[in-house]
């Protein structure tokens, strides 16, 4: 039930997929054709800093070629830039902020629960629509099921939008205490805190009747009390002696549901979402007469705060001036900026159509500029007397590693304008 801590989005219709059945052997552990330090898919880096995908990776011993994931298919919306991230697994790099944070959370659970929690951090990110949405009770009409929000490999297979996609299978296999960590994928805006690939951790614990009956509490109250105690301890483990508060929330797979906030650096900050698991999920997966709790957190958001990392793109850089600053097992090392290259701003105006969305625009910009696109911001919009609506967007280009030339920026902007017009079917102004 992994919830993005800043922005949980529920993630489309149940369907079969021959590709998924071929590759989705149980849990599908990763093996790779290249070292983690390069990428999961074999890549080379072009002069403009973007990755060119050359070959394939393996999932569960089955080789997955680019054409299996990036297809010329009306139901497919996965670009090369996303395929190049498959299997990079920042959460398994012990000297990377994401891996350091994951291990710190593991340490808390090992110390508090004496290895009771099973840990999974190499489950396949290719999952069925049923796993991603239906198994965790995401409503059939929820916006997160749209192609605007989710990366579809085909009509029945997606890149997981949350680690909750593995919850049902783990329960059916008899796991009652588990932590699931992995990379998740969502089509999103372009700014310093949003990226189409990020990492989540989910925690799940099941209780049997004998565990709560002696307490004098009903099962739901017992699970909620235990959940809050557990997560308050985790917050103190990561942030020290901070003030905390609980906020009532809504998630489709828990009831009651909560968000934990801490008072940190002179402001209230959301840390995670959680709740008592809906009985329907437990019944559907063989956990009769039980109650359970679940929580989820976004590792990037916490790591940005704990390590003072100002831009989410930095997590993906291979620049040694970034990677060499962090040490295995050491929390709280503050990132020291190594560059202050100036941004370059370019504006673009066009008449939109009924199918236009900002997520589609951001996909086009990322497809052209990659991580050189720092931000895409709507700065003006109006509707004329004919009912036509115009949007003006400001694109900030900036490399975190070098100064960009005017020639590079102008060429990127030319390609962006060209592709926005052709792919989004808008009229440039």
């Amino acid at each position: 039930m992994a919830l993005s801590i800043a922005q949980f989005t529920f993630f489309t219709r149940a369907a079969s997929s021959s590709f998924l059945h071929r590759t989705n052997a149980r849990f599908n552990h990763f093996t790779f054709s290249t070292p983690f330090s390069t990428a999961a898919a074999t890549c080379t880096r072009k002069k403009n800093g973007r990755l060119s995908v050359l070959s394939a990776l393996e999932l569960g011993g089955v080789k997955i070629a680019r054409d299996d994931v990036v297809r010329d298919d009306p139901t497919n919306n996965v670009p090369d830039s996303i395929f190049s991230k498959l299997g990079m697994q920042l959460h398994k790099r012990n000297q990377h902020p994401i891996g350091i944070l994951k291990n710190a959370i593991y340490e808390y659970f090992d110390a508090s629960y004496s290895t009771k929690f099973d840990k999974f951090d190499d489950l396949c990110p290719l999952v069925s629509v049923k796993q991603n949405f239906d198994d965790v009770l995401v409503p059939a009409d929820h916006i997160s099921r749209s192609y605007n929000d989710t990366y579809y490999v085909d009509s029945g297979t997606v890149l997981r939008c949350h680690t909750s996609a593995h919850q049902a299978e783990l329960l059916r296999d008899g796991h009652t205490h588990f932590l699931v960590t992995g990379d998740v994928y969502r089509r999103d805006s372009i700014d310093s805190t949003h990226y189409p690939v990020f990492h989540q951790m989910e925690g799940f614990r099941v209780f049997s009747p004998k565990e709560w009956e002696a307490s004098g509490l009903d099962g739901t109250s017992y699970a909620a009390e235990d959940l809050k105690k557990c997560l308050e301890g985790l917050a103190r483990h990561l942030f020290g002696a901070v003030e905390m508060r609980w906020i009532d929330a809504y998630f489709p797979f828990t009831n009651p549901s909560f968000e934990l906030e801490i008072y940190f650096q002179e402001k209230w900050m959301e840390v995670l979402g959680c709740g008592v698991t809906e009985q329907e999920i437990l019944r559907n997966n063989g956990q009769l007469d039980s109650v359970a709790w679940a929580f989820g957190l976004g590792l990037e958001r916490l790591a940005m705060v704990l390590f003072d990392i100002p831009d989410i793109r930095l997590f993906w850089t291979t620049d040694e001036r970034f990677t060499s600053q962090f040490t295995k097992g050491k929390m709280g090392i503050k990132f020291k900026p190594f560059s202050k290259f100036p941004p370059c701003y370019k504006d673009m105006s066009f008449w939109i159509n009924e199918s236009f969305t900002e997520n589609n625009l951001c996909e086009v910009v990322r497809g052209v500029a990659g991580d050189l696109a720092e931000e895409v911001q709507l700065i003006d919009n109006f509707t004329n007397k004919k009912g036509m609506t115009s949007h003006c967007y400001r694109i900030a280009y900036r490399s975190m590693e070098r100064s960009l030339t005017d020639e590079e920026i102008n060429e990127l902007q030319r390609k962006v304008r060209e592709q926005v017009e052709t792919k989004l079917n808008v009229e440039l102004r």
Side-chain angles (χ1 to χ4, degrees):
M1 188 217 60
L3 320 165
S4 167
I5 61 180
Q7 34 115 56
F8 176 72
T9 309
F10 306 112
F11 291 94
T12 334
R13 51 195 183 279
S16 63
S17 166
S18 59
F19 168 71
L20 184 69
H21 295 325
R22 176 165 61 85
T23 62
N24 200 18
R26 206 156 98 194
F27 295 161
N28 286 344
H29 297 281
F30 279 105
T31 56
F32 301 102
S33 56
T34 55
F36 287 168
S37 59
T38 304
T42 306
C43 302
T44 58
R45 189 168 294 278
K46 296 180 179 179
K47 183 178 179 181
N48 63 6
R50 295 174 56 208
L51 291 175
S52 174
V53 179
L54 298 179
S55 62
L57 53 89
E58 290 185 1
L59 303 174
V62 178
K63 193 169 185 178
I64 307 299
R66 171 191 175 277
D67 290 345
D68 286 324
V69 180
V70 183
R71 303 180 184 177
D72 184 15
D73 183 310
T75 64
N76 182 283
N77 63 352
V78 183
D80 278 323
S81 58
I82 294 299
F83 178 73
S84 72
K85 297 294 192 296
L86 280 173
M88 289 187 73
Q89 295 188 301
L90 303 183
H91 61 286
K92 297 187 74 173
R93 305 185 189 188
N94 292 330
Q95 291 182 283
H96 190 282
I98 299 299
I100 295 169
L101 176 56
K102 181 202 76 172
N103 290 335
I105 298 172
Y106 278 4
E107 290 169 3
Y108 168 76
F109 277 90
D110 286 344
S112 302
Y113 298 95
S114 186
T115 67
K116 180 179 288 188
F117 280 78
D118 299 323
K119 304 181 186 69
F120 300 91
D121 65 0
D122 56 358
L123 305 186
C124 179
L126 290 168
V127 299
S128 70
V129 165
K130 180 178 182 297
Q131 289 173 297
N132 198 68
F133 299 115
D134 302 330
D135 284 351
V136 288
L137 310 183
V138 175
D141 60 351
H142 198 278
I143 189 173
S144 64
R145 291 176 176 260
S146 74
Y147 283 76
N148 184 59
D149 283 27
T150 295
Y151 289 110
Y152 281 81
V153 174
D154 57 41
S155 61
T157 312
V158 299
L159 291 173
R160 64 184 172 210
C161 306
H162 46 189
T163 49
S164 306
H166 306 287
Q167 186 181 105
E169 188 168 13
L170 289 168
L171 285 171
R172 288 195 299 270
D173 275 14
H175 298 282
T176 59
H177 298 64
F178 54 85
L179 301 172
V180 180
T181 311
D183 43 327
V184 297
Y185 300 79
R186 298 180 194 171
R187 302 176 89 237
D188 214 336
S189 55
I190 298 177
D191 59 37
S192 64
T193 61
H194 293 87
Y195 202 77
V197 190
F198 55 103
H199 297 79
Q200 289 186 337
M201 180 184 290
E202 165 167 330
F204 201 95
R205 183 179 186 184
V206 178
F207 299 89
S208 63
K210 66 180 181 180
E211 293 181 84
W212 74 76
E213 286 173 350
S215 71
L217 299 173
D218 62 87
T220 297
S221 299
Y222 182 85
E225 185 176 289
D226 185 86
L227 169 66
K228 290 182 177 181
K229 179 181 177 181
C230 169
L231 296 180
E232 287 173 359
L234 175 60
R236 284 190 292 269
H237 179 72
L238 297 177
F239 293 95
V242 292
E243 185 179 354
M244 306 179 205
R245 67 183 183 188
W246 290 96
I247 308 296
D248 290 337
Y250 165 77
F251 306 116
F253 28 65
T254 55
N255 183 28
S257 303
F258 314 101
E259 291 174 348
L260 174 61
E261 294 186 349
I262 64 171
Y263 195 72
F264 188 71
Q265 296 178 345
E266 299 185 350
K267 62 181 179 181
W268 286 102
M269 183 185 81
E270 181 188 341
V271 176
L272 50 79
C274 62
V276 178
T277 306
E278 286 282 5
Q279 280 294 305
E280 183 178 349
I281 293 176
L282 296 173
R283 289 195 302 268
N284 289 346
N285 296 289
Q287 296 292 335
L288 305 178
D289 302 318
S290 300
V291 296
W293 57 243
F295 75 85
L297 54 83
L299 294 175
E300 273 83 351
R301 170 85 183 279
L302 292 183
M304 290 179 77
V305 173
L306 290 165
F307 294 95
D308 279 356
I309 296 172
D311 194 308
I312 196 169
R313 294 175 299 164
L314 281 164
F315 290 116
W316 298 93
T317 185
T318 57
D319 193 312
E320 290 186 358
R321 291 173 294 177
F322 177 82
T323 59
S324 64
Q325 292 191 34
F326 306 101
T327 303
K328 177 182 177 179
K330 290 190 176 181
M331 288 285 292
I333 295 176
K334 302 304 182 183
F335 168 66
K336 297 178 181 178
F338 53 82
S339 65
K340 291 185 179 180
F341 299 112
C344 179
Y345 299 99
K346 294 288 184 179
D347 293 350
M348 176 174 57
S349 298
F350 47 83
W351 300 104
I352 67 171
N353 53 43
E354 290 184 357
S355 63
F356 172 80
T357 69
E358 287 194 11
N359 278 357
N360 286 338
L361 171 64
C362 289
E363 284 294 303
V364 171
V365 174
R366 280 197 179 100
V368 172
D371 286 353
L372 298 180
E374 180 176 74
E375 185 176 31
V376 174
Q377 182 180 17
L378 178 66
I379 60 172
D380 186 47
N381 71 91
F382 70 91
T383 301
N384 66 14
K385 294 181 179 179
K386 296 181 180 180
M388 298 174 63
T389 299
S390 171
H391 282 188
C392 180
Y393 287 91
R394 177 160 294 162
I395 304 174
Y397 297 98
R398 189 203 312 245
S399 170
M400 294 174 290
E401 301 170 0
R402 61 186 179 86
S403 291
L404 300 176
T405 66
D406 289 339
E407 291 77 11
E408 286 179 283
I409 298 300
N410 290 336
E411 179 63 12
L412 288 173
Q413 183 71 359
R414 183 191 68 78
K415 290 180 179 179
V416 166
R417 289 176 59 86
E418 180 181 275
Q419 292 199 23
V420 164
E421 185 174 32
T422 57
K423 292 186 175 183
L424 302 186
N425 194 29
V426 299
E427 181 183 344
L428 295 177
R429 298 182 58 212

